[in-house]
């Protein structure tokens, strides 16, 4: 499994320049809010996914006044094999290299360094629109399945082309028919992959939720898609007049959603903050299990401020789980250094502690 041994970060968010060496087991990063704890985890995430977990565009990732940022990670892949991955981003270009050799396509890197992030931003999976839930599912499946990633990318390009045509006064019906046919062919495997993923996710989420919360509630995940009604080609044909009226594509997998429930009711409306937080942690741990099963080894796990809104019992249950042999390298952030140390020291001696202040990280005993 990939183990991040060293990282060098330059001009990313509030980090001017930092070189750090990590434990292969648990790494704890403490410090006040706004000092840069999350930025370190996001840099690690960026090395895996070639984008930030928190911002939709790279323009928000440059340190103030700078025109480029970069990060380089040294990973132990399969002992003693070492690999170096480096990303450099300027205002108009992104370059990604492995061992000083540039990738032909950045998407080829997705899945090489599997990663799972649990953070306060996950609340958007419950509170926001289906866009956030589709983004989550795409991020998981794209790491495990190159064909899925390619199909989603192609579908989205065709969708943009179709919507552009619908906004025109006149367009070629023959070209529209070709686009519809191609979109339908791509939508089917995406639909099947998402349906299978939701089905495999639900029982694992239930198990983790019970272990974290000790609660008797039963949680559920429902996959909802226009393709439940039939092939996309037939749906697009039936919606053609509506699409031309509204000037965009009103049906398709771009409208898919994943409904999260607790005792058959929407968790968004009926779950407490603690229940929602426990559900989201369980969801990400279920993702972790599915990815581990797919890869044959444990992904890197990033736990960003996960203790917020969890009572001490749930925190202990959570950390007892991640300290087991089922988990690989872990990075944990928390504002309360004493709480973090007290729990982690009781679990393992193979750990490192870092203190954060204004984007600078200090190794502490």
């Amino acid at each position: 499994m990939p183990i991040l041994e060293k990282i060098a970060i330059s001009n990313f968010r509030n980090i001017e320049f930092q070189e750090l060496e990590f434990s292969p087991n648990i790494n704890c990063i403490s410090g006040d809010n706004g000092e840069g704890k999350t930025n370190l985890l996001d840099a690690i995430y960026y090395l895996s996914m070639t984008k930030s977990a928190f911002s939709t565009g790279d323009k928000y990732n440059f340190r103030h006044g700078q025109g480029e940022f970069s990060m380089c990670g040294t990973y132990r892949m399969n002992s003693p094999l070492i690999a170096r991955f480096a990303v450099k981003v300027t205002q108009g270009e992104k370059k990604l290299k492995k061992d000083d050799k540039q990738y032909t396509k950045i998407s080829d890197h997705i899945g090489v360094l599997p990663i799972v992030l649990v953070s306060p931003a996950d609340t958007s999976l419950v509170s926001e629109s289906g866009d956030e839930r589709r983004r989550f599912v795409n991020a998981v499946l794209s790491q495990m399945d190159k064909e899925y990633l390619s199909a989603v990318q192609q579908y989205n390009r065709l969708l943009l082309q179709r919507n552009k045509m619908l906004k025109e006064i006149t367009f070629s019906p023959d070209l529209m028919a070709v686009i519809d046919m191609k979109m339908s062919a791509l939508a089917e495997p995406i639909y099947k992959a998402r349906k299978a993923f939701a089905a495999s996710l639900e029982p694992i989420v239930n198990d983790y939720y019970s272990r974290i919360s000790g609660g008797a509630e039963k949680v559920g995940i429902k996959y909802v898609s226009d393709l439940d009604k039939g092939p996309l080609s037939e749906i697009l044909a039936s919606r053609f007049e509506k699409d031309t009226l509204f000037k965009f594509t009103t049906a398709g997998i771009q409208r898919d959603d994943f409904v999260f429930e607790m005792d058959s009711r929407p968790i968004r409306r009926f779950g407490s903050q603690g229940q929602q937080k426990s559900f989201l942690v369980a969801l990400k741990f279920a993702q972790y299990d599915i990815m581990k099963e797919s890869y044959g080894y444990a992904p890197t796990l990033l736990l960003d401020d996960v203790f917020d809104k969890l009572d001490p019992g749930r925190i202990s249950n959570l950390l007892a789980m991640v300290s087991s042999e089922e988990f690989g390298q872990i990075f944990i952030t928390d504002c309360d250094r004493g709480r973090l140390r007290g729990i982690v020291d009781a679990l393992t001696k193979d750990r490192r502690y870092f203190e954060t202040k204004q984007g600078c990280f200090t190794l502490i005993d």
Side-chain angles (χ1 to χ4, degrees):
M1 83 181 75
I3 297 293
L4 179 57
E5 294 188 333
K6 302 176 184 178
I7 194 169
I9 307 167
S10 176
N11 291 324
F12 183 72
R13 301 289 183 89
N14 76 331
I15 303 173
E16 181 177 2
F17 182 76
Q18 196 74 58
E19 289 183 309
L20 299 169
E21 295 186 10
F22 299 119
S23 162
N25 190 19
I26 297 181
N27 297 275
C28 304
I29 303 99
S30 58
D32 294 335
N33 288 328
E35 297 293 344
K37 303 185 304 296
T38 297
N39 293 343
L40 174 59
L41 264 57
D42 200 22
I44 296 170
Y45 185 91
Y46 205 111
L47 276 172
S48 290
M49 299 299 291
T50 71
K51 62 182 180 181
S52 167
F54 305 107
S55 57
T56 55
D58 278 324
K59 63 181 179 179
Y60 301 106
N61 296 322
F62 296 95
R63 195 170 71 88
H64 183 67
Q66 301 300 309
E68 68 178 46
F69 68 82
S70 64
M71 60 271 300
C72 178
T74 301
Y75 287 80
R76 187 172 75 245
M77 305 299 283
N78 286 304
S79 183
L81 182 62
I82 300 295
R84 292 176 67 253
F85 298 89
V87 183
K88 183 176 181 180
V89 181
T90 62
Q91 296 289 355
E93 188 177 32
K94 180 184 297 186
K95 291 183 178 180
L96 174 65
K97 295 181 179 180
K98 177 183 179 182
D99 294 331
D100 297 322
K101 183 178 180 181
Q102 188 167 329
Y103 278 89
T104 304
K105 292 192 302 181
I106 288 179
S107 60
D108 289 342
H109 176 68
I110 306 302
V112 174
L113 304 172
I115 198 163
V116 174
L117 169 68
V118 186
S119 87
D122 293 335
T123 56
S124 64
L125 292 172
V126 169
S127 62
E128 300 298 329
S129 69
D131 290 343
E132 294 296 325
R133 292 179 284 279
R134 284 193 301 276
R135 192 175 293 116
F136 161 68
V137 172
N138 284 341
V140 179
L141 293 177
S142 294
Q143 289 189 73
M144 298 187 294
D145 187 345
K146 296 284 188 186
E147 292 184 0
Y148 176 89
L149 174 59
S150 176
V152 169
Q153 290 174 331
Q154 291 180 66
Y155 180 93
N156 287 337
R157 284 195 292 268
L158 288 167
L159 179 62
L160 285 173
Q161 187 178 355
R162 189 178 197 272
N163 286 340
K164 184 178 179 181
M165 289 177 64
L166 287 169
K167 289 178 173 61
E168 296 173 354
I169 297 175
T170 59
F171 56 81
S172 167
D174 291 339
L175 179 57
M176 179 70 77
V178 171
I179 291 174
D180 288 1
M181 181 179 64
K182 289 181 177 180
M183 286 178 63
S184 183
L186 291 164
E188 189 63 25
I190 295 170
Y191 170 72
K192 289 180 178 178
R194 289 176 176 177
K195 190 171 186 176
F197 177 67
S200 64
L201 199 62
E202 186 176 66
I204 309 175
V205 172
N206 248 310
D207 178 57
Y208 272 119
Y209 181 83
S210 177
R211 290 161 65 184
I212 294 169
S213 68
E217 306 95 357
K218 183 177 177 60
V219 296
I221 300 172
K222 286 185 179 178
Y223 173 45
V224 181
S225 176
D226 288 332
L227 271 69
D228 293 334
K229 303 169 187 174
L232 181 60
S233 56
E234 295 179 5
I235 296 170
L236 291 177
S238 67
R239 294 285 193 103
F240 182 72
E241 288 188 9
K242 186 175 182 180
D243 289 355
T244 53
L245 177 64
F246 285 93
K247 299 188 182 301
F248 69 92
T249 306
T250 60
I253 58 164
Q254 73 277 7
R255 288 164 36 90
D256 286 359
D257 203 353
F258 299 81
V259 181
F260 300 147
E261 297 180 332
M262 178 175 291
D263 293 336
S264 301
R265 299 190 300 177
I267 194 171
R268 174 180 179 177
R269 296 176 60 188
F270 295 96
S272 67
Q273 283 189 327
Q275 288 172 327
Q276 290 183 16
K277 185 69 176 278
S278 295
F279 172 83
L280 290 166
V281 173
L283 177 70
K284 291 300 188 80
F285 276 28
Q287 170 196 349
Y288 188 96
D289 274 10
I290 290 172
M291 289 178 63
K292 182 183 176 184
E293 178 70 21
S294 175
Y295 281 96
Y297 55 80
T300 300
L301 180 62
L302 309 177
L303 301 176
D304 185 29
D305 199 21
V306 294
F307 304 143
D308 182 44
K309 297 185 178 67
L310 292 182
D311 59 50
R314 295 187 190 212
I315 292 171
S316 295
N317 291 342
L318 174 60
L319 283 178
M321 287 191 298
V322 301
S323 66
S324 71
E325 293 181 358
E326 299 174 10
F327 289 82
Q329 190 176 28
I330 302 170
F331 296 82
I332 306 174
T333 70
D334 191 25
C335 291
D336 190 336
R337 183 172 69 181
R339 173 173 62 182
L340 197 56
R341 183 181 288 274
I343 297 173
V344 173
D345 278 355
L347 298 173
T348 180
K349 296 301 180 185
D350 187 2
R351 76 287 183 273
R352 285 196 171 189
Y353 292 101
F354 299 89
E355 183 71 18
T356 315
K357 192 170 183 61
Q358 295 182 352
C360 295
F361 300 82
T362 305
L363 180 66
I364 55 178
D365 293 330

